Amino acid sequence: MAEKKRILTGDRTTGKLHLGHYVGSLQNRVRLQDDYETFILMADIQALTTHFENPSLINGSIYDVAIDNLSVGLDPNKVTFVQQSQIKAIAELTVFYSMLISVNTLRHNPTIKTEAANYGYNDMTYGFLGYPVSQAADITFCNAELVPVGEDQLPHIEVARKLVRRMNDLYGTNLLEPKAMLSSCTRLMGLDGNSKMGKSLGNAIYLSDSAESVNEKVRLAVTDASRIRAKDPGHPDICTVSKYHKVFNEEEYEDICERCKAGQVGCVACKRRLAEKLNGLLDPFRERRAYYEAHMNEVKEIVNSGSDRANAIGNENVDKIKAAMSLKI
Ligand code: TRP
């Protein structure tokens, strides 16, 4: 039987994951886990690029992120969970790749620019500027072919592809050029109408939120501000709640829009329906989460054994790369 192709993707360990992560990437991970050999990276080193002053937050988030991924249905018997800082090959490859990309190329990376502006960095650290290089090492230490990510990550996948081509051209290595895999919904709006759901924006519904908390967040969501009474005709095209129905309640979306425009359904009922749908999605996640939270040793074992396995794969690959680079005597 042919070997399965590999997928690698990951999350920074700077807090819990939310519905934006779910529709942007986690959902794809679950769908693909049977057909690909999947690696999920808890990116604790990348978390240091922005949170180096708060290592205890990063440390605590490793298990939050692992449980978030397990709760949506990733099967630990099929998927390898990896703690980035434990993988020596990532550190080594990062150094090799760093010779092959210019500082200006990194400075012009649009995602780096946006993030630097959001964090207010006018003089960013070497580590922050260079995290796309380290991300290329994340992806290639195990020769992953596909990377399920949101669209903000595309420039980084491009960096990885360029570095791989350069390595192969220069040293005759056999690294695979990874491809990004986008989901159909690459950007989920915040319920406050902000263009993006984000933990730093305070508008997120977390995978770990209780049903009550989801109900409350949806109740406070921004709708069509010009609509005062339920019988007024609504404007679903400018309403955040309607956008959520499209993503999380597709079967009823058209019907809800029609009834909203005709003044036949009010915002309160429409929100209640959305909250029901969201809780319907989240309930099975809550059940799995409860299991793992009661079995933390199992979670630790999943991360430790996955990291051991990843180290073995990475060390073997790095040995080959070093030989190709004439670094072995
Ligand atoms: N940069 C990614 C994010 O912010 C996280 C990440 C780290 C990642 N390493 C990766 C994603 C490797 C895909 C592949 O979401």
Side-chain angles (χ1 to χ4, degrees), residues 8-14 17 21 25 29 39 41-44 46-47 84 90 111 115 131-132 134-140 146-150 152-153 156-157:
L8 183 138
T9 188
D11 310 288
R12 291 182 192 196
T13 55
T14 51
L17 303 182
H21 295 114
S25 177
R29 301 175 191 180
F39 292 77
L41 192 78
M42 267 65 69
D44 54 350
Q46 196 174 111
Q84 187 189 25
I90 294 178
T111 297
E115 288 178 352
Y131 90 71
S134 159
Q135 189 160 322
D138 296 343
I139 297 166
T140 56
L146 274 187
V147 191
V149 278
D152 59 319
Q153 297 295 305
H156 301 341
I157 310 299

Side-chain angles (χ1 to χ4, degrees), residues 94-95 97-116 124-136 155-160 162-163:
T94 301
V95 174
Y97 289 154
S98 72
M99 314 302 161
L100 307 180
I101 186 164
S102 76
V103 171
N104 273 337
T105 304
L106 289 166
R107 276 217 181 102
H108 292 130
N109 179 301
T111 297
I112 289 283
K113 275 194 191 165
T114 312
E115 288 178 352
M124 61 189 120
T125 64
Y126 169 57
F128 178 82
L129 177 69
Y131 90 71
V133 179
S134 159
Q135 189 160 322
H156 301 341
I157 310 299
E158 222 22 70
V159 168
K162 276 198 189 127
L163 286 168

Side-chain angles (χ1 to χ4, degrees), residues 302-322:
I302 289 168
V303 176
N304 287 337
S305 62
S307 301
D308 286 347
R309 173 157 189 267
N311 253 324
I313 295 170
N315 289 342
E316 198 184 316
N317 284 337
V318 165
D319 277 347
K320 285 191 204 140
I321 292 169
K322 280 180 166 170

Side-chain angles (χ1 to χ4, degrees), residues 18-25 27-28 110-111 114-115 118 149-155 181-198 201 203 240 243-244 246-248:
H18 53 62
L19 281 177
H21 295 114
Y22 179 71
V23 295
S25 177
Q27 196 175 21
N28 267 342
T111 297
T114 312
E115 288 178 352
N118 290 347
V149 278
E151 90 193 315
D152 59 319
Q153 297 295 305
L154 290 179
M181 179 182 225
L182 291 176
S183 78
S184 51
C185 175
T186 55
R187 176 179 281 250
L188 185 67
M189 290 185 97
L191 273 173
D192 56 355
N194 194 308
S195 69
K196 193 180 169 193
M197 179 176 281
L201 301 167
N203 60 6
T240 311
K243 299 207 166 64
Y244 273 66
K246 176 133 179 70
V247 178
F248 297 101

